[in-house]
Amino acid sequence: KILSATVSEHTGHWFVSVQVEQEVPNAPKKVEAIVGVDLGIKSLAVCSDGKTFENPKALRSRLKQLRRLQQHVSRKVKGSQNRKKAARKVARLHYRISNIRKDTLHKITSELTKTKSVVVIEDLNVSGMLKNHRLAQAIQEIGFGEFRRQLDYKGIWNGCKIVVADRYFPSSKLCSNCGCVNDKLTLADREWTCPDCGVHHDRDLNASTNLKNYGIKVVASSVKTINSPTEKEALTPSMLLA
């Protein structure tokens, strides 16, 4: 049922947004159970199943072009038609950068929510991360907040539960093999070896594995609360998410 239509224009592109009312079918059952997702700058998302989504670097790869176009604007006479044309070129490039970022986030969040029953992510302190001026631009261009927003509503659409780990959960410093916490780990350490069990870890993959384990515990505790199973029952991810 069509309710309304809105016509809009953006940098020379015209759009019609149609608002409709429709029945949403029940989400299909998932084959794959649970996945932990570690967000980052080098790789946008690293999953506990080994899959990696690369960062498109939409802004950084076009900074040189953007600076050149902005210089063209500053050199034109104010109020002239040439200045307006140059400004439109800058706006179109900004629009392209925005579209690349949104397209990447939509593809990742759609794939995760359509194929997984539970997605576990961290509650990132983005405002605190932006205080690091060396990483602020890279963090802003990724759009962690938009990633979380898309996961939330697509999770409802596709029947996928979104679990958010506590902000202080040591996903990167925790050894996924023995549970040892490596307090000496720094941001520059992309790989590290556990001082207790000696297992060598990729930082991002280890973090995503710890997030997955965190999600299994959360789901298990919620099932115990609702169904009150006996302690002898084995709660595996496949059983919990059947």
Side-chain angles (χ1 to χ4, degrees):
K1 180 182 177 181
I2 298 177
L3 302 179
S4 64
T6 304
V7 179
S8 60
E9 182 270 340
H10 197 286
T11 64
H13 299 276
W14 289 86
F15 304 91
V16 179
S17 176
V18 182
Q19 185 179 16
V20 300
E21 182 180 299
Q22 66 177 21
E23 292 185 6
V24 180
N26 293 330
K29 289 186 177 180
K30 308 294 194 317
V31 177
E32 301 176 70
I34 183 169
V35 67
V37 181
D38 180 65
L39 301 178
I41 296 174
K42 183 179 179 181
S43 296
L44 201 155
V46 177
C47 302
S48 56
D49 58 8
K51 186 162 188 177
T52 300
F53 297 94
E54 296 301 327
N55 184 356
K57 300 179 181 178
L59 176 61
R60 276 182 287 174
S61 61
R62 292 165 179 80
L63 271 179
K64 187 176 180 179
Q65 182 184 2
L66 186 60
R67 290 193 186 104
R68 186 172 66 251
L69 291 178
Q70 288 173 333
Q71 286 175 352
H72 291 171
V73 175
S74 64
R75 290 169 182 169
K76 306 298 181 185
V77 178
K78 290 184 178 180
S80 66
Q81 290 300 316
N82 285 337
R83 187 183 179 93
K84 292 178 182 178
K85 290 179 183 179
R88 281 196 293 269
K89 289 182 180 180
V90 174
R92 280 196 292 267
L93 182 56
H94 275 297
Y95 183 59
R96 175 168 174 75
I97 292 171
S98 174
N99 283 343
I100 293 172
R101 183 188 301 116
K102 289 178 181 178
D103 179 68
T104 302
L105 294 179
H106 275 297
K107 286 177 178 177
I108 297 174
T109 53
S110 293
E111 180 174 338
L112 289 174
T113 55
K114 287 180 180 179
T115 59
K116 311 296 181 183
S117 293
V118 179
V119 175
V120 190
I121 59 173
E122 289 181 285
D123 182 19
L124 296 174
N125 181 16
V126 179
S127 59
M129 295 166 66
L130 291 176
K131 293 180 180 178
N132 185 338
H133 299 296
R134 293 183 179 181
L135 300 176
Q137 186 184 77
I139 293 171
Q140 282 183 316
E141 79 162 328
I142 292 173
F144 288 140
E146 178 64 12
F147 186 91
R148 168 79 177 274
R149 186 188 73 85
Q150 291 185 16
L151 272 185
D152 287 339
Y153 76 77
K154 289 181 182 181
I156 297 173
W157 287 357
N158 299 310
C160 175
K161 180 179 177 63
I162 308 301
V163 176
V164 181
D166 184 80
R167 181 170 293 183
Y168 301 103
F169 177 66
S171 60
S172 297
K173 297 181 178 181
L174 183 67
C175 175
S176 57
N177 184 59
C178 68
C180 171
V181 178
N182 183 5
D183 291 322
K184 297 181 180 179
L185 192 70
T186 65
L187 191 61
D189 298 325
R190 308 315 304 172
E191 297 182 1
W192 61 282
T193 302
C194 178
D196 278 12
C197 65
V199 173
H200 188 72
H201 294 294
D202 174 86
R203 180 193 183 98
D204 297 333
L205 184 59
N206 176 66
S208 62
T209 303
N210 285 324
L211 289 171
K212 176 184 176 179
N213 295 335
Y214 179 96
I216 291 174
K217 292 180 181 178
V218 170
V219 175
S221 62
S222 64
V223 171
K224 283 185 178 181
T225 302
I226 296 173
N227 297 332
S228 300
T230 62
E231 294 297 326
K232 294 182 180 180
E233 290 182 283
L235 295 173
T236 62
S238 58
M239 293 172 59
L240 295 172
L241 303 171

